[in-house]
Amino acid sequence: MMKRLFVLLFVLVLLAGTASAERTVVTALAAEVNPDHLVSVAADAKVLSYADGKFTIAILVPERYDPEEINALKPGDAIYTEGREVEIRAITEQDGYIVLNPDMEDEVRLFESVDMNYWIMDVNDNTWLELATVTVPASGRLLFLDGINPETGEALLHPAVHDRENLLNLMNAADDPGFAIRNVEVVFDEQGELALIRRFYVPWQ
């Protein structure tokens, strides 16, 4: 009797271990931007400060997921997003979204973006990671394209074109919407210098 009980317990432990091993945790794809080689590249960013001819910026990348991995998810698996692991208890489709844990506190909505990968929808935006904070030299011909009216926050049909001095004046203005709310795209030239900063309208500004 004891021998049979021991064998049964051994089988249960083995099965539990196998089930645990089969659990999948999906993580975001690697970033396409290399913060150590910012040459001839555009990136989303936060502009944090300026001093001595250099800008300190945080490079942002969207959380993107492989569609095959997302479509293979099942209850019991998990997705790693915004620095935490979310266990999946239910999966459904709603209005073109893949919804993990629908109507629960830790609900996650994914949609197929223009790059054919799945991105996470978070209220008005996607979820983003701060890839790195870097201090980079500014090109002598730096351009600032402002897509909003800084006094009202309203979107412009065409962006206003400014130089570095106008940009710095806005960065130092107390009533300006700012440049660190996921409302900026930056462009680096072939020398690795910051050549263009473009600010665009966001509904949360």
Side-chain angles (χ1 to χ4, degrees), residues 120-134:
I120 293 179
M121 176 58 70
D122 182 26
V123 191
N124 294 312
D125 199 8
N126 311 310
T127 56
W128 297 80
L129 299 174
E130 289 198 14
L131 183 63
T133 299
V134 297

Side-chain angles (χ1 to χ4, degrees), residues 143-163 166-171 173 175-179 181 183-185 196-202 205:
L143 281 179
F144 166 48
L145 304 182
D146 198 359
I148 67 171
N149 180 331
E151 295 181 358
T152 65
E154 295 176 336
L156 301 176
L157 180 61
H158 299 291
V161 182
H162 299 288
D163 58 14
N166 292 125
L167 168 63
L168 296 179
N169 287 338
L170 288 173
M171 287 179 63
D175 57 350
D176 186 79
F179 297 81
I181 55 174
N183 62 340
V184 167
E185 183 179 42
L196 184 144
I197 295 176
R198 182 178 72 91
R199 179 165 68 172
F200 48 86
Y201 171 83
V202 291
Q205 63 189 26

Side-chain angles (χ1 to χ4, degrees), residues 7-144:
V7 171
L8 179 60
L9 289 172
F10 177 79
V11 170
L12 289 174
V13 170
L14 183 62
L15 289 174
T18 302
S20 176
E22 291 177 351
R23 180 176 183 269
T24 298
V25 179
V26 172
T27 58
L29 294 168
E32 295 180 343
V33 177
N34 181 356
D36 296 322
H37 188 67
L38 295 170
V39 174
S40 301
V41 68
D44 291 275
K46 294 179 180 179
V47 180
L48 304 177
S49 62
Y50 174 84
D52 301 324
K54 295 183 179 181
F55 285 89
T56 297
I57 63 175
I59 301 295
L60 304 178
V61 294
E63 288 191 308
R64 305 174 305 127
Y65 296 84
D66 184 292
E68 291 187 6
E69 293 185 351
I70 293 300
N71 289 322
L73 285 172
K74 59 187 181 303
D77 292 337
I79 185 169
Y80 193 84
T81 174
E82 296 188 294
R84 73 192 196 285
E85 186 177 296
V86 177
E87 182 180 354
I88 299 168
R89 298 181 293 284
I91 304 173
T92 188
E93 289 190 27
Q94 296 177 5
D95 302 322
Y97 291 91
I98 293 178
V99 185
L100 312 178
N101 302 336
D103 301 320
M104 301 181 195
E105 186 177 350
D106 54 357
E107 177 182 278
V108 176
R109 288 178 171 260
L110 297 117
F111 66 98
E112 189 176 37
S113 190
V114 292
D115 63 354
M116 307 304 288
N117 293 307
Y118 277 100
W119 294 29
I120 293 179
M121 176 58 70
D122 182 26
V123 191
N124 294 312
D125 199 8
N126 311 310
T127 56
W128 297 80
L129 299 174
E130 289 198 14
L131 183 63
T133 299
V134 297
T135 300
V136 293
S139 166
R141 301 178 64 183
L142 173 71
L143 281 179
F144 166 48

